[in-house]
Amino acid sequence: MRSKAATALLTMLALGMTAACGGDSGDSDGATSATGPIKVWLSNNPEEIAWGKAMVKEWNAENPDQEVTAQEIPAGQTSEEVIGAAITAGNAPCLVFNTSPAAVPQFQKQGGLVALDEFEGGTDYVESRTGDVAEQYKSPDGQYYQIPWKSNPVMIFYNKDLMKQAGVDPENPPLATHEEFLETSRKIVDSGTAEAAIWPAPTSEFFQSWFDFYPMFAAETGGQQLIEDEEATFDSEEGATVAEFWQTMYDEGLAQKEVYNGDSFADEKAAMAIVGPWAIAVYGESVDWGAAPVPTSSGTSPEETYTFSDAKNIGLYSACENQGTAWEVLKFATSEEQDGKLLEMTGQMPLRDDLQGTYPEYFKEKPEYVDFADQASRTVEVPNVANSIEIWQTFRDAYSESVIFGKASVDESLSQAAEETSDLASQS
Amino acid sequence: MTETVDRTRPARSRSRLAALLGRQPLGIVFSAPYAVFLAVVFAYPLGLAVWMSFHDYFFAAPGVEVERPFVGLENYKAVLGDPAVRESFVNVVEFLLINVPATVLLSLVLASALNGAIRGRTFLRVAYFAPYVTASVALVAVWLFLFSQSGMVNQVLGPLAPDPSWLVNSTLAMPVIATFVTWKQLGFFVLLYLAALQNVPKELYESAASDGAGRLGVFWHVTVPGVRPATTLVLILATITGANLFTEPYLLTNGGGPNGASTTPVLLMYQKGIEQGNPDTAAAIGVILVIGVLLIALVTRKVVERD
């Protein structure tokens, strides 16, 4: 009797251990259906925290047995570093509502993310919510390791008062073509209205190109990504046109080579800025502003102009024990109702198909957001390829050397960077 | 015969044990916590870094099976073939060539002056030490105010202001950083020299004075040799901290600008290891840096301490 009891105990122990081991190795059936309390991280801007806390409160009220605990993403140089460290340490939360698409390939390589396709209806949910734009967020293995959540399509924001001072029509400043943009910039700087026409950060961080070169490259090419089919696309006529445009801006002092320690647009040191719809809430009260699509060499019509999305997505992390709950929370947080609340509270655009048709009342009440909402349907994301951040750093270094500081020819720098980045993109 | 063997064996064991534990075995107990601390915080990470530098390594989530094959010297070849890495080592050598001699010279001269009976001595000691204990971020904000394009220094210089301005000038960016770091750390090194000066016998100064030596002669023939061990320490510490330069170029020139002119090996390690997820190549840079610093320290010691 005693030996039978011992055998049964050992069998149960062995089964328990097998189950535990199965969980560790990412057994999709077990882990993806487990339910219970989970932790989520929110971005650290006040509007998103307010939305996140309200969303979590609603979820917890309806699901007391699957409580969600939300906290701001811990402090670090960047969110990506913190998340990367948490993945390595095995203490990443279940969901991070601030996952940068550029970091997804790295997190995936670390084994830190769960493919959403593993959940029942996962692929359909992502694609039906976001539409064709979702394709850009698919990983090279054909799976979604992030749900496209919200975008901040960037446009040219301008200060109408400064435009007027510079002798430029404030209601309709000529900014559609590169030539017009340069001429308007010259008027702003030559008249002494502002130190710079526009002041993107001329620094070497890998992500800075998202706010100078990339939006204009997206517009110039009609929606091309920096890397396509593992090949760099910027070593082209369009890439050179955009790079030369910015080179002229720096050479003529229309954009400054030194970083401004503060907000150059708010401080009226620059008359324009490249920003997303978040800027409406930030500058709306203090600046009489206008918005225009990013320029192209030939002056593409606004309804055909592409730009950079500046999206932030949601990742479901493999350290999560209760992935079933995490998936349900993810769907709840990206439901039509919650997306509407996000739009209302933050002014950021949910990555949802037919945004204006889904929330007609919001855009009727706040027409200033319509241009951004329209632009949200024509956005270009960072390419979802291996070595994504190294690729952007390589590009930025070449851009800084040639375009900003004029230490090398633009053509040679772009050519060499294209060779290196294509090589990086083709590595698995 | 048997009796002799029985008596000598325990005696030999005891003597071996005594030799191992030393004359004060209790000392091991007292030193053990720090030895363990060193092993866990310094020795293990250093060993792991060396191991990583010879493997195709990346950080993975626990439980995820990944291959980390031995790649020999591939990571070293990659970093030494990277122009940005080579430039970063040149930049840090430029930094050390400015920072280390300036630190030694200024801290020794200031310590000698502060060791004498001068007015406001306590105030000056505190004044020199204040930047050392102030957060770099706060000090950098002040220096940005001084050295930015429209900063106070350029306004004072007027037409003599450099173009491009200090922090975006590839020739001047590193010297500005070296000056900043020298100024910031001076208080600490002055303190080291002040302590060392207390050990220079006063009789030597008196003898030198009675032999007719002037102020400069006394300084050169008594003070400088008298604080030589401290000079070795200052040189080695300044070299180590200088070689690990990160915060100042990160904040002052926004990550090693302009165009990599103030990038340092540690900044690149951060970029490659943390941002780009290539800790193997970052480790290779780190190992090269450690070897370089050890060589400099060795040469410094040989040169400074020779009779």
Side-chain angles (χ1 to χ4, degrees), chain B residues 53-122:
Chain B
S53 71
F54 289 103
H55 291 78
D56 180 4
Y57 189 96
F58 64 93
F59 297 122
V64 175
E65 285 182 19
V66 289
E67 284 188 17
R68 288 167 176 148
F70 177 76
V71 292
L73 294 171
E74 280 305 310
N75 292 324
Y76 289 91
K77 279 186 199 163
V79 296
L80 291 173
D82 184 345
V85 175
R86 290 202 300 270
E87 188 186 2
S88 75
F89 276 98
V90 171
N91 291 342
V92 88
V93 167
E94 182 189 343
F95 172 86
L96 291 174
L97 286 174
I98 299 168
N99 171 255
V100 176
T103 298
V104 172
L105 193 70
L106 289 173
S107 53
L108 181 54
V109 169
L110 287 172
S112 300
L114 291 173
N115 199 38
I118 56 165
R119 287 183 68 178
R121 190 168 69 164
T122 310

Side-chain angles (χ1 to χ4, degrees), chain A residues 83-399:
Chain A
I83 299 167
I87 289 172
T88 310
N91 58 9
C94 285
L95 300 170
V96 179
F97 287 80
N98 194 38
T99 300
S100 166
V104 165
Q106 199 167 306
F107 296 163
Q108 189 189 334
K109 185 181 175 188
Q110 287 184 273
L113 288 167
V114 178
L116 302 179
D117 314 66
E118 288 179 18
F119 297 92
E120 197 182 332
T123 312
D124 286 346
Y125 181 75
V126 173
E127 291 178 349
S128 62
R129 177 178 169 274
T130 305
D132 295 341
V133 174
E135 187 68 23
Q136 296 186 78
Y137 299 92
K138 202 180 256 185
S139 287
D141 67 0
Q143 301 201 87
Y144 291 104
Y145 290 84
Q146 57 189 321
I147 184 161
W149 181 35
K150 62 178 169 76
S151 70
N152 275 287
V154 301
M155 296 180 77
I156 304 292
F157 224 56
Y158 56 86
N159 183 322
K160 288 184 180 177
D161 292 338
L162 294 187
M163 288 290 184
K164 200 173 172 183
Q165 278 179 43
V168 178
D169 175 8
E171 297 307 323
N172 192 21
L175 294 169
T177 67
H178 288 175
E179 267 316 308
E180 285 177 358
F181 197 99
L182 285 169
E183 201 46 49
T184 300
S185 298
R186 286 179 191 121
K187 283 183 181 170
I188 292 163
V189 174
D190 293 348
S191 63
T193 304
E195 277 183 49
I198 194 164
W199 205 323
T203 51
S204 61
E205 292 96 341
F206 70 90
F207 52 82
Q208 295 297 0
S209 296
W210 303 345
F211 306 101
D212 45 35
F213 177 87
Y214 201 42
M216 293 199 188
F217 178 70
E220 190 70 23
T221 55
Q224 209 168 38
Q225 288 187 307
L226 196 79
I227 303 277
E228 289 188 350
D229 299 324
E230 298 182 355
E231 286 291 328
T233 56
F234 55 84
D235 184 19
S236 60
E237 197 184 323
E238 291 89 349
T241 302
V242 175
E244 279 159 13
F245 162 78
W246 279 110
Q247 190 183 38
T248 310
M249 292 291 290
Y250 284 108
D251 282 352
E252 294 188 18
L254 308 174
Q256 294 288 337
K257 293 179 182 177
E258 190 172 79
V259 72
Y260 181 72
N261 293 295
D263 185 332
S264 59
F265 188 74
D267 296 346
E268 299 195 344
K269 300 287 179 186
M272 295 184 277
I274 304 182
V275 293
W278 56 264
I280 296 173
V282 173
Y283 302 122
E285 298 292 313
S286 56
V287 180
D288 186 9
W289 60 271
V294 293
T296 59
S297 59
S298 57
T300 311
S301 64
E303 57 275 10
E304 289 176 1
T305 304
Y306 278 78
T307 191
F308 170 57
S309 64
D310 193 17
K312 285 289 184 293
N313 296 337
I314 310 169
L316 201 161
Y317 290 79
S318 58
C320 181
E321 287 178 5
N322 296 317
Q323 291 177 10
T325 298
W327 171 240
E328 292 304 320
V329 172
L330 197 153
K331 286 195 288 183
F332 176 76
T334 54
S335 61
E336 190 175 318
E337 186 191 347
Q338 289 300 328
D339 277 347
K341 288 179 180 173
L342 178 80
L343 180 64
E344 192 132 344
M345 292 173 83
T346 68
Q348 300 182 61
M349 306 289 149
L351 271 163
R352 180 174 271 284
D353 206 18
D354 189 22
L355 193 60
Q356 292 185 70
T358 312
Y359 306 105
E361 298 218 338
Y362 174 84
F363 290 106
K364 197 175 166 189
E365 276 174 33
K366 298 191 173 181
E368 65 272 28
Y369 284 89
V370 170
D371 286 346
F372 284 98
D374 179 54
Q375 187 68 79
S377 60
R378 293 180 308 282
T379 55
V380 173
E381 190 45 77
V382 298
N384 192 336
V385 291
N387 300 309
S388 169
I389 291 174
E390 202 173 347
I391 285 170
W392 281 106
Q393 187 66 62
T394 305
F395 175 79
R396 187 66 185 174
D397 291 345
Y399 181 87

Side-chain angles (χ1 to χ4, degrees), chain A residues 77 81 110 203 258-259 390, chain B residues 59 61 149 254 270 276 278:
Chain A
Q77 302 282 11
E81 285 173 36
Q110 287 184 273
T203 51
E258 190 172 79
V259 72
E390 202 173 347
Chain B
F59 297 122
Q149 196 159 341
N254 299 100
Y270 161 75
Q276 298 170 12
N278 295 317

